[in-house]
């Protein structure tokens, strides 16, 4: 059993609240589900929808076709028309008289819990689960509000009873699992990685990470500061790393574009840095609240001049946690900028995930205590100079964005300029020791290789599974740079390579073609701010 | 050798023109830091880009030579990561008021406990003679051949209007005054803004050493806590007042975020993280 439920309404009508309520109820009652948010860039009006997929098999692919639609506003049906099928159950005014219900409720704000009650009943879930969730979520608003919400929920539940739509999905024990949004997962990963500073400027869809960390700042002592602009945000994070902290800057494409010079400073000065870049469609303002995979090139090539970097792109909640934590160790170890490249689909979606294990996370520091002979840019065999921090030891730490000598002072000496440039580039070779390998799925004797990266993982994988073709395999990348040259073994074996990505120019395909000299590579692209669906991909591959 | 003197190879050939005001400022800075009984290991100079910003390379001191206009936010990060360090942000007038203008304004609001030293020579030296935000009206340069027509930026007035924690102005020709101001600035808990006039002997034929001597005066009998009087003084000139123009006791940024210890000593709080996981179940 697999149901795609879509609830839609105007911005401000509480779609986000209903979605969250329902996911919590589903989880408590043992139903695996996840949500995907389709949001407009406005605070009131328009149409926002949430897509919740409930499945027995823990499926995480995005589904286009709607099984049940709950429209809270007349504009919704038209908005989702391309997703409706003849079998879609639409709970419109014919089935539930929303205008009458709104009048009967003490306050239209209770409509959210009313609908949660209705849907809870449709899914054959005992009311007690919803009651528990309402008590938990509205606890801080006081007993009175809690009771009114429970009353509204019960009314909705009773109405749901009358609809005679009983969906029975096999339940399992999800009590130990976690319900997290992508923002929360990245934020928790950063905490696990020892992040103690966040510099940011609000920008969708990256702000959630900063907001969550701000909520934890009192407890964890993490400093979260909103700066006057993106340049100050990244600069402060660089200053933090220089002086011994672990700084994060979180932003989106347009914000990161402002940060390029500072990125270049991190590269030249060999200061570690972790950048969370949550992608949304561009160019310029683009679609602020929608999803895209269009900033790979930006992350790859940003920053004038040349210096090594690492680009990680988590495929789901679990990776968002573990890779974000890992990013901090990598930055410290190799003294390079590390990108955590995500997107709106992952950031705003809510997913159920198996318990996250802190014993799979490690906290490794690489800075040193300096002595009086310390030179920050000492030439070493692998290009990585021991990193001192000011105030820790007898030494003096001099760090410089100008070309420099071993002590860090400016030099225009021809020989030193050559040596230092080579030293910085040589550092890049060490990065191959720590690469996140791509995930391979499928028959060993495949002929067609479907490649993907980032948050499309589960959607693509499900497509491949459903197509069930004996000669088709799936290769998914969670580290986009550097690429392991040994991966050519995957591409040499394939007669045809398809690269699925959500951008206009096939950025990852171009990179793969360049690095692995792949002759026959075809892009499967989507670039309208909406995520690929399983149905859509199946059609493209058919 | 003096405590803050550097014997590094990169410190020997000082890249300033003979007669540059930076030489005097360097001597003043070294004496100030030594007289405050500070050690090079506990001080960090974060500099922007320009001739002024080369200062740290000619000293025995921790330093980060950053980007044009960005010394202040980077210095803010340094102070957050290790509040026990004495942090100085240093650069020229173009660095701090043009490229770094936004950071200048908001640092006053944020009030990190750092000292900002602005070398004000009213011209862009390293890029060879363009006007700076503080160039006088009518000054002719290769980039402004008809003469500057943009109203000069009055950093002192802006800082006072925004109630900055410590606002002072000096001139490299007044050694004792500058030293006293710098000492007070460094000891002040909060953002200390010290603008120091200096001549650019190569590119500024208008604001020479003599011009500064004639067009500045040392402020006497002024209550620096009188904001409106301070503003009046800042808005007046020439002649320009030298001294501590304004002071306000304000809680500094580090006090708000309750940080006193260096971040490098910290480890992730895994047990707290485990508890948070429970909330997401």
């Amino acid at each position: 059993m697999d149901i795609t439920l879509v609830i839609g309404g105007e911005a401000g009508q509480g779609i986000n609240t209903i979605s969250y309520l329902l996911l919590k109820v589903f989880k408590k009652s043992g139903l695996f589900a996840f949500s995907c948010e389709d949001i407009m860039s406005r605070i009131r009006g328009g149409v926002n929808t949430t897509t919740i997929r409930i499945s027995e098999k823990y499926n995480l692919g995005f589904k286009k076709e709607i099984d049940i639609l709950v429209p809270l506003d007349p504009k919704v049906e038209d908005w989702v028309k391309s997703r409706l099928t003849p079998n879609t159950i639409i709970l419109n005014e014919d089935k539930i008289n929303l205008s009458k219900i709104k009048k009967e409720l003490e306050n239209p704000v209770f409509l959210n819990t009313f609908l949660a009650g209705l849907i809870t009943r449709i899914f054959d879930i005992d009311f007690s689960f919803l009651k528990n969730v309402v008590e938990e979520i509205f606890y801080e608003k006081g007993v009175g509000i809690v009771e009114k919400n429970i009353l509204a929920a019960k009314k909705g539940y009773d109405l749901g009873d009358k609809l005679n739509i009983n969906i029975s999905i096999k339940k399992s024990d999800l009590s130990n699992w976690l319900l997290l949004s992508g923002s929360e997962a990245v934020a928790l990963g950063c905490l696990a990685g020892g992040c103690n500073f966040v510099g940011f400027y609000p920008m969708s869809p990256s702000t959630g990470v900063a907001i969550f960390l701000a909520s934890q700042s009192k407890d964890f002592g993490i400093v979260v500061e909103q700066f006057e602009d993106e340049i100050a945000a990244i600069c402060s994070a660089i200053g933090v790393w220089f002086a011994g902290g672990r700084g994060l800057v979180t932003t989106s494409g347009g914000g990161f574009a402002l940060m390029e010079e500072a990125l270049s400073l991190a590269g030249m000065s060999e200061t570690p840095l972790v950048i969370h870049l949550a992608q949304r469609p561009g160019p310029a303002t683009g679609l602020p609240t929608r999803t895209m995979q269009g900033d790979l090139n930006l992350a790859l090539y940003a920053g004038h001049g040349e210096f090594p970097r690492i680009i990680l792109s988590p495929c789901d909640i679990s990776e968002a946690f573990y890779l974000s934590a890992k990013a901090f160790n990598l930055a410290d170890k190799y003294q390079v900028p590390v990108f955590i490249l995500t997107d709106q689909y992952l950031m705003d979606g809510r997913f159920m995930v198996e318990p996250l294990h802190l014993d799979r996370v490690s906290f490794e520091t690489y800075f040193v205590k300096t002595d009086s002979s310390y030179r920050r840019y000492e030439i070493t065999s692998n290009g990585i100079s021991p990193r001192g921090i000011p105030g820790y030891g007898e030494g003096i730490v001099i760090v410089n964005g100008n070309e420099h000598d071993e002590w860090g002072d400016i030099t225009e000496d021809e020989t030193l300029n050559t040596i230092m440039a080579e030293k910085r580039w040589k550092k890049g070779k060490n990065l191959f020791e720590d690469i996140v390998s791509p995930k391979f799925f499928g028959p060993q004797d495949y002929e067609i290789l479907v490649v993907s990266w980032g948050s499309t993982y589960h959607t693509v994988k499900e497509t491949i599974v459903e197509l069930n073709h004996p000669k088709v395999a799936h290769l998914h990348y969670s580290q986009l740079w550097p690429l392991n040259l040994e991966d050519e073994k995957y591409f040499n074996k394939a007669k045809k390579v398809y690269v699925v990505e959500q951008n206009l120019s096939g950025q990852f395909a171009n990179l793969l073609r360049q690095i692995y000299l792949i002759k026959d590579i075809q892009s499967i692209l989507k670039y309208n701010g909406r995520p690929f669906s399983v149905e859509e991909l199946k059609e493209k591959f058919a | 050798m003096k405590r803050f003197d550097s014997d590094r190879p990169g410190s020997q050939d000082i890249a300033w023109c003979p007669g540059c005001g930076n030489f005097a400022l360097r001597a003043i800075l070294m004496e100030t830091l030594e007289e405050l009984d500070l050690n090079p290991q506990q001080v960090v100079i974060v500099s922007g880009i320009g001739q002024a910003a080369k200062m740290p390379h000619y000293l025995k001191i921790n330093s980060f030579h950053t980007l044009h206009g960005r010394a202040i936010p980077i210095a803010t990060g340094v102070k957050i990561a290790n509040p026990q360090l004495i942090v100085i942000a240093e650069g020229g007038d173009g660095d701090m008021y043009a490229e770094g203008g936004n950071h200048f304004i908001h640092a006053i609001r944020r009030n990190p406990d750092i000292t900002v030293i602005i070398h004000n020579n009213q011209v862009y030296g390293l890029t060879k003679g363009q006007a700076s935000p503080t160039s006088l009206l009518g000054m002719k340069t290769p980039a402004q051949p008809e003469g500057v027509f943009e109203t000069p930026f009055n950093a002192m007035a802006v800082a006072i209007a925004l109630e900055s924690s410590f606002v002072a102005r000096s001139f490299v020709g007044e050694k004792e005054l500058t030293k006293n101001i710098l000492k007070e600035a460094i000891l002040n808990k909060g953002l200390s803004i010290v603008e120091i006039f200096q001549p650019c002997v190569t590119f500024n034929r208008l604001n020479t050493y003599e011009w500064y001597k004639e067009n500045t005066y040392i402020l006497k009998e002024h209550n620096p806590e009188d904001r409106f009087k301070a503003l009046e003084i800042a808005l007046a000139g020439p002649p320009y007042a030298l001294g501590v123009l304004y002071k306000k006791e304000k809680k500094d940024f580090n006090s708000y975020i309750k940080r006193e210890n260096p971040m490098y000593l910290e480890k992730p709080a895994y047990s707290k993280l485990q508890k948070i996981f429970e909330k997401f179940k």
Side-chain angles (χ1 to χ4, degrees):
Chain A
M1 243 300 180
D2 202 322
I3 301 287
T4 300
L5 163 71
V6 173
I7 307 160
E10 288 194 328
Q13 272 188 303
I15 302 300
N16 188 41
T17 306
I18 302 176
S19 182
Y20 181 54
L21 267 168
L22 284 172
L23 282 168
K24 283 199 78 94
V25 173
F26 289 148
K27 180 173 176 294
K28 269 207 198 307
S29 65
L31 286 181
F32 180 84
F34 77 94
S35 76
C36 161
E37 311 306 319
D38 152 49
I39 315 164
M40 284 198 172
S41 181
R42 57 195 291 176
I43 306 299
R44 292 286 182 273
V47 178
N48 286 349
T49 73
T50 181
T51 300
I52 303 178
R53 181 179 181 187
I54 309 101
S55 65
E56 285 171 359
K57 289 201 177 143
Y58 301 178
N59 287 326
L60 280 166
F62 178 71
K63 295 300 284 280
K64 181 175 129 172
E65 286 169 12
I66 302 175
D67 296 310
I68 305 175
L69 176 69
V70 184
L72 296 177
D73 183 270
K75 298 191 287 290
V76 175
E77 250 179 273
D78 184 68
W79 180 252
V80 300
K81 63 177 183 278
S82 67
R83 300 178 66 185
L84 299 174
T85 78
N87 295 324
T88 307
I89 301 170
I90 304 177
L91 299 183
N92 51 18
E93 287 286 325
D94 299 340
K95 297 205 170 61
I96 48 171
N97 195 334
L98 267 180
S99 7
K100 179 163 163 271
I101 292 163
K102 270 189 225 176
K103 285 195 193 117
E104 281 173 12
L105 286 171
E106 186 186 313
N107 189 323
V109 79
F110 296 122
L111 186 63
N112 298 332
T113 29
F114 178 92
L115 286 166
L118 184 108
I119 295 168
T120 299
R121 179 62 192 88
I122 291 176
F123 280 87
D124 212 16
I125 298 169
D126 194 79
F127 183 72
S128 62
F129 288 107
L130 178 55
K131 183 167 176 287
N132 277 340
V133 170
V134 169
E135 280 165 359
E136 197 186 302
I137 290 182
F138 294 102
Y139 169 77
E140 274 162 24
K141 302 212 170 170
V143 177
I145 300 284
V146 171
E147 293 196 346
K148 287 182 184 173
N149 273 295
I150 293 175
L151 261 169
K154 190 67 173 56
K155 280 201 181 125
Y157 195 84
D158 292 339
L159 181 59
D161 205 17
K162 298 201 182 88
L163 289 177
N164 255 322
I165 308 165
N166 290 309
I167 300 170
S168 215
I169 301 185
K170 200 174 82 180
K171 300 179 171 71
S172 48
D173 183 9
L174 301 171
S175 53
N176 258 342
W177 289 45
L178 306 174
L179 175 65
L180 290 168
S181 69
S183 298
E184 287 159 347
V186 169
L188 289 169
C190 289
L191 283 173
C195 176
N196 38 27
F197 174 84
V198 183
F200 80 105
Y201 191 89
M203 186 170 184
S204 306
S206 71
T207 317
V209 171
I211 300 298
F212 179 79
L213 289 171
S215 75
Q216 301 305 315
S217 62
K218 197 167 171 188
D219 207 12
F220 278 81
I222 181 172
V223 178
V224 180
E225 176 69 3
Q226 178 184 323
F227 281 88
E228 58 272 20
D229 56 38
E230 277 87 350
I231 302 176
I234 188 173
C235 282
S236 61
I238 290 172
V240 163
W241 273 100
F242 165 64
R246 287 192 158 194
L248 170 79
V249 62
T250 174
T251 188
S252 188
F256 180 68
L258 298 172
M259 300 179 178
E260 287 205 41
E261 194 197 21
L263 178 80
S264 182
L265 176 67
M268 175 54 119
S269 64
E270 303 194 47
T271 306
L273 186 57
V274 177
I275 301 147
H276 170 236
L277 210 181
Q279 300 168 98
R280 71 193 219 185
T285 310
L287 291 164
T289 51
R290 298 195 182 278
T291 199
M292 188 98 161
Q293 294 183 304
D295 297 332
L296 170 57
N297 282 350
L298 181 64
L300 260 175
Y301 300 116
H304 61 288
E306 300 156 302
F307 48 91
R309 67 192 71 195
I310 297 174
I311 304 175
L312 304 172
S313 189
C315 70
D316 59 20
I317 290 290
S318 183
E319 268 196 359
F321 175 75
Y322 291 112
L323 290 184
S324 295
K326 189 175 169 133
F328 288 85
N329 288 340
L330 291 173
D332 201 345
K333 184 174 182 185
Y334 299 112
Q335 300 172 29
V336 294
V338 180
F339 288 85
I340 305 167
L341 196 59
T342 62
D343 56 37
Q344 181 266 337
Y345 176 83
L346 181 62
M347 287 295 99
D348 292 343
R350 289 197 175 91
F351 306 83
M352 291 180 198
V353 68
E354 284 182 277
L356 299 169
H357 300 276
L358 289 172
D359 55 11
R360 286 189 208 163
V361 168
S362 61
F363 175 66
E364 296 148 17
T365 59
Y366 297 86
F367 58 85
V368 300
K369 191 170 184 182
T370 57
D371 64 29
S372 53
S373 68
Y374 180 70
R375 300 179 198 181
R376 174 67 183 89
Y377 300 109
E378 184 194 331
I379 300 296
T380 60
S381 54
N382 68 357
I384 302 175
S385 318
R387 185 169 76 94
I389 53 185
Y392 182 48
E394 285 303 305
I396 298 294
V397 183
I398 299 161
V399 156
N400 200 345
N402 289 268
E403 188 54 277
H404 43 259
D405 61 18
E406 283 189 293
W407 285 268
D409 293 311
I410 300 172
T411 183
E412 299 194 55
D413 176 87
E414 199 177 330
T415 309
L416 276 173
N417 290 165
T418 309
I419 290 172
M420 280 299 169
E422 286 171 352
K423 170 212 191 293
R424 281 190 300 274
W425 203 241
K426 196 176 180 184
K427 257 173 50 170
K429 295 211 166 76
N430 302 298
L431 301 178
F432 292 103
E433 291 165 24
D434 244 309
I435 293 192
V436 177
S437 302
K439 291 187 252 301
F440 177 84
F441 170 80
Q444 281 305 314
D445 58 342
Y446 64 90
E447 285 175 5
I448 297 171
L449 187 63
V450 176
V451 183
S452 58
W453 62 274
S455 71
T456 57
Y457 176 59
H458 293 284
T459 303
V460 176
K461 184 161 181 219
E462 191 173 324
T463 306
I464 305 290
V465 168
E466 289 206 4
L467 288 172
N468 199 22
H469 192 293
K471 295 292 180 193
V472 175
H474 178 208
L475 188 66
H476 185 89
Y477 278 87
S478 298
Q479 176 161 339
L480 307 175
W481 192 260
L483 292 170
N484 189 347
L485 294 171
E486 287 173 17
D487 283 0
E488 67 171 356
K489 66 177 190 266
Y490 292 113
F491 302 107
N492 290 343
K493 214 167 156 183
K495 289 210 174 92
K496 178 102 188 190
V497 177
Y498 289 97
V499 182
V500 178
E501 51 188 323
Q502 288 164 180
N503 57 56
L504 198 42
S505 55
Q507 295 177 21
F508 195 51
N510 288 335
L511 185 63
L512 292 175
R513 182 187 292 115
Q514 207 189 107
I515 301 293
Y516 300 109
L517 306 171
I518 306 171
K519 290 214 173 76
D520 196 356
I521 191 165
Q522 194 173 313
S523 289
I524 307 226
L525 304 171
K526 186 161 182 158
Y527 33 77
N528 63 0
R530 278 82 178 167
F532 270 121
S533 64
V534 174
E535 296 95 327
E536 193 177 354
L537 282 176
K538 268 168 81 172
E539 234 173 277
K540 289 208 194 255
F541 282 118
Chain B
M1 193 166 78
K2 297 202 193 118
R3 198 184 296 183
F4 285 87
D5 224 332
S6 164
D7 59 358
R8 301 189 306 273
S11 309
Q12 304 319 304
D13 175 21
I14 297 185
W16 295 328
C17 307
C20 174
N22 281 333
F23 285 103
L25 241 175
R26 175 178 173 269
I28 290 170
L29 193 53
M30 280 171 59
E31 279 179 40
T32 301
L33 294 171
E34 191 163 349
E35 284 170 27
L36 282 173
D37 202 23
L38 294 169
N39 288 314
Q41 288 80 5
Q42 63 191 127
V43 188
V44 180
I45 294 183
V46 180
S47 64
I49 296 292
Q51 293 288 24
K54 291 180 183 174
M55 179 70 79
H57 295 297
Y58 310 132
L59 298 172
K60 181 179 180 183
I61 204 160
N62 294 299
S63 65
F64 197 157
H65 192 171
T66 67
L67 298 169
H68 194 60
R70 314 301 170 196
I72 288 176
I74 293 174
T76 303
V78 173
K79 188 71 183 182
I80 289 171
N82 189 347
Q84 292 169 5
L85 294 167
I86 304 288
V87 181
I88 296 169
E90 190 161 9
D93 41 310
D95 202 341
M96 295 294 188
Y97 302 150
E99 191 78 55
N102 204 27
H103 307 312
F104 179 75
I105 289 170
H106 291 271
I108 295 171
R109 296 177 55 231
R110 187 172 296 113
N111 202 31
D113 182 16
I114 66 179
T115 301
V116 183
I117 301 176
I118 304 114
H119 299 217
N120 187 6
N121 62 3
Q122 298 177 270
V123 77
Y124 278 34
L126 190 50
T127 49
K128 298 163 84 168
Q130 301 80 29
S132 84
T134 54
S135 294
L136 292 179
L137 275 174
M139 175 168 163
K140 290 194 161 86
T141 80
Q144 290 85 18
E146 306 305 310
V148 170
F149 54 78
E150 288 168 21
T151 311
F153 182 76
N154 188 333
M156 299 287 97
V158 167
I160 294 163
L162 294 176
E163 292 185 279
S164 183
S165 174
F166 181 95
V167 185
R169 180 165 55 197
S170 195
F171 165 49
V172 292
E174 295 290 345
K175 181 172 177 177
E176 285 313 306
L177 176 69
T178 307
K179 261 173 53 176
N180 288 333
I181 287 174
L182 283 173
K183 282 180 190 169
E184 215 184 316
I186 289 168
L187 291 171
N188 174 52
K189 206 156 171 59
L191 186 76
S192 304
I193 295 171
V194 182
E195 182 185 277
I196 305 176
F197 283 132
Q198 61 167 100
C200 172
V201 296
T202 305
F203 292 111
N204 190 341
R205 301 301 157 97
L206 203 58
N207 312 103
T208 60
Y209 188 90
E210 285 67 38
W211 185 93
Y212 282 116
K213 267 226 121 38
E214 279 163 35
N215 288 282
T216 61
Y217 71 97
I218 296 178
L219 195 57
K220 294 212 177 2
E221 284 162 26
H222 165 65
N223 173 16
E225 290 179 31
D226 184 343
R227 185 150 158 254
F228 287 100
K229 189 71 194 163
L231 197 54
E232 200 185 307
I233 292 168
L235 290 170
Y240 302 106
L242 305 178
V244 178
L245 271 57
Y246 181 68
K247 264 197 321 202
K248 184 185 170 96
E249 209 170 292
K250 287 166 82 170
K251 196 166 162 183
D252 72 306
F253 182 70
N254 275 76
S255 301
Y256 278 111
I257 61 176
K258 300 188 180 60
R259 284 209 75 94
E260 284 165 9
N261 294 320
M263 281 181 173
Y264 68 80
L265 295 170
E266 289 172 7
K267 294 190 198 324
Y270 287 124
S271 51
K272 281 187 187 163
L273 208 47
Q274 195 61 58
K275 287 206 183 98
I276 292 190
F277 287 164
E278 297 302 312
K279 291 191 190 158
F280 285 102
K281 280 194 177 160

